[in-house]
Amino acid sequence: MTAPLDGIRVIDWTHVLAGPACSYYLGLLGAEVIKVESLKGDAMRHRGGTDAALAAAGMSTAYQTQGAGKQSIALDLEVNQGREVFHRLLTSADVLVENHRPSTLARLDLTEAHTRAINPRLIHCAMTGYGRGNAMADVPAYDVNIQAISGLMALTGTDESGPIRTGAPIIDYATGLAGALAVTSALMQRHATGEGAFVDVSMLETAFSLMSSTIADYRMTGKLPEPRGNAANSRSPSSGIFPCLSGHISLGVNEEVQFQRLANAVGRSDWLDNPDFADPVSRDRNQGALSDALVGVLAHRTAEEWEQIFVAADVPASRLRTLPEALEMAPATTRAFVTRGTAGNVGLPFAIGGDASPGTANAPPALGADTTKVLRALGYCEGEVKSLRAAGAVV
């Protein structure tokens, strides 16, 4: 089956996580991706992950996560020869993905106005912390900054724990997915109009989108959201994380029929006749008593036992798992998310026509591994390549 983005060339001028993830996703959809790095390389090559030896070798696990399937060319865009090579790359490209501050683009004459002048059909995707056209457009930001400034951390944890960052860089990868969606949308638009476009992707707005229902509730009611710990966002007293004899169980019991199934599954059908628990209004009014009753019942079995019981009773429930345990579950092993991407890396969270990952077999490249090949494909002769190297414009 032909990949959705087969024949599309993407220039990946990004660093760290969100930008490289965006171009990696586009590569999984069939695009040719050429990663442009500085002569020192993407800083993420040397940090991230727990393997110090790989990081020292410029192949950290964090870099490799979204580095596969790309060609690498090392350019010095601070010199004219390097920018000339970059311009020629843009002329050959369909998409530019970059995550540099507007001031950096202006200094290098690579703003969206410059790049579109070089190639009017180019989709220029800019990924920044706060988006364009506002007072914070040039402020640098990382995942941890956006989690803090967006209000997300203020919702996480409890009054006792204080705000807590999520354990994984979810804003980075969500922004990567948002960028890939934006680029594919712009490519569809170009197919209809024949014109390129500027795509403005904001990490802050991505964080906001992950809190859509919370934001809507606050704007409609004026009620300030509070940290709820492990309580469910639905605010149903029979939903949340509950301790068991060993382990914890997550319950998503929000509908009346689900509560009826829950009561029967735990052997407490009497709850259905108890005026304190018989209907949603009563359960909400007596949520403390219901929570105590649930904890008391759940304490008699392990989380693993309760999960089996609840799943059999069609009650939305799942046992709290560690990452290794989660990766051993049937959906993870059968669908092979962690290995179905390019070169056996992680893939996309969807399949098209049954094909979950049409990426290439190319492993994450060393810095500048494809410089000569890319330059020759752009029309540079051997002597010109040597001259560029001698001038320090490429590696």
Side-chain angles (χ1 to χ4, degrees), residues 5-12 26 30-34 87-97 115-116 119-125 182-184 186-188 190-191 194-199:
L5 297 184
D6 185 46
I8 297 296
R9 171 174 280 189
V10 175
I11 305 304
D12 170 6
L26 297 173
E32 175 194 13
V33 182
I34 300 175
H87 289 183
R88 194 178 298 195
L89 272 172
L90 295 181
T91 301
S92 74
D94 297 283
V95 178
L96 167 66
V97 180
T115 59
R116 291 287 304 286
N119 181 354
R121 284 177 52 83
L122 186 71
I123 307 299
H124 180 148
C125 175
V183 167
T184 53
L187 285 170
M188 288 296 294
R190 189 185 73 173
H191 180 71
E195 299 179 359
F198 176 63
V199 175

Side-chain angles (χ1 to χ4, degrees), residues 344-363:
N345 284 32
V346 296
L348 283 164
F350 58 82
I352 300 176
D355 191 344
S357 182
T360 72
N362 297 339

Side-chain angles (χ1 to χ4, degrees), residues 36-359:
V36 175
E37 302 183 66
S38 71
L39 302 190
K40 293 182 179 179
D42 186 337
M44 191 53 66
R45 284 181 175 273
H46 302 284
R47 68 171 188 260
T50 60
D51 192 313
L54 284 174
M59 295 294 284
S60 77
T61 58
Y63 166 75
Q64 292 194 56
T65 302
Q66 54 276 320
K70 304 178 183 181
Q71 303 172 63
S72 172
I73 177 171
L75 287 179
D76 185 353
L77 296 180
E78 300 289 344
V79 301
N80 290 334
Q81 298 99 316
R83 283 199 298 278
E84 289 169 3
V85 172
F86 194 68
H87 289 183
R88 194 178 298 195
L89 272 172
L90 295 181
T91 301
S92 74
D94 297 283
V95 178
L96 167 66
V97 180
E98 54 86 6
N99 57 351
H100 299 272
R101 288 190 283 172
S103 59
T104 300
L105 302 182
R107 179 172 56 79
L108 296 175
D109 291 334
L110 288 172
T111 66
E112 55 271 23
H114 291 101
T115 59
R116 291 287 304 286
I118 294 168
N119 181 354
R121 284 177 52 83
L122 186 71
I123 307 299
H124 180 148
C125 175
M127 306 175 70
T128 58
Y130 305 101
R132 301 300 178 82
N134 69 88
M136 297 182 69
D138 209 47
V139 175
Y142 290 95
D143 178 285
V144 65
N145 306 128
I146 300 299
Q147 288 200 35
I149 202 171
S150 66
L152 180 61
M153 282 180 61
L155 300 175
T156 309
T158 65
D159 291 337
E160 292 73 26
S161 70
I164 296 177
R165 182 187 67 81
T166 60
I170 61 170
I171 304 302
D172 274 332
Y173 287 108
T175 303
L177 287 168
L181 172 63
V183 167
T184 53
S185 299
L187 285 170
M188 288 296 294
Q189 184 182 60
R190 189 185 73 173
H191 180 71
T193 66
E195 299 179 359
F198 176 63
V199 175
D200 179 1
V201 181
S202 160
M203 294 177 71
L204 178 64
E205 289 174 356
T206 300
F208 286 158
S209 72
L210 298 178
M211 298 185 287
S212 293
S213 62
T214 302
I215 291 173
D217 183 80
Y218 168 66
R219 294 189 68 240
M220 292 178 186
T221 68
K223 295 178 181 178
L224 185 68
E226 298 177 352
R228 295 177 51 79
N230 288 325
N233 198 53
S234 67
R235 290 174 168 76
S236 169
S238 49
S239 290
I241 312 297
F242 298 90
C244 302
L245 179 63
S246 65
H248 291 74
I249 193 80
S250 168
L251 295 177
V253 179
N254 302 310
E255 309 297 333
E256 185 62 27
V257 67
Q258 293 170 344
F259 183 77
Q260 293 170 8
R261 293 169 183 162
L262 169 70
N264 289 320
V266 299
R268 293 301 305 268
S269 57
D270 59 292
W271 287 351
L272 304 178
D273 300 317
N274 185 330
D276 289 342
F277 304 150
D279 59 76
V281 174
S282 298
R283 291 195 292 273
D284 189 59
R285 186 169 55 243
N286 298 286
Q287 56 183 284
L290 177 56
S291 178
D292 290 343
L294 261 176
V295 169
V297 170
L298 296 173
H300 293 288
R301 294 179 184 268
T302 67
E304 187 171 5
E305 291 173 312
W306 280 124
E307 182 181 60
Q308 295 174 4
I309 292 170
F310 289 139
V311 169
D314 205 19
V315 174
S318 57
R319 174 173 64 85
L320 189 150
R321 285 167 166 79
T322 64
L323 179 59
E325 289 177 310
L327 296 178
E328 292 173 358
M329 293 189 302
T333 57
T334 303
R335 291 174 60 88
F337 171 82
V338 296
T339 57
R340 72 174 181 239
T342 293
N345 284 32
V346 296
L348 283 164
F350 58 82
I352 300 176
D355 191 344
S357 182

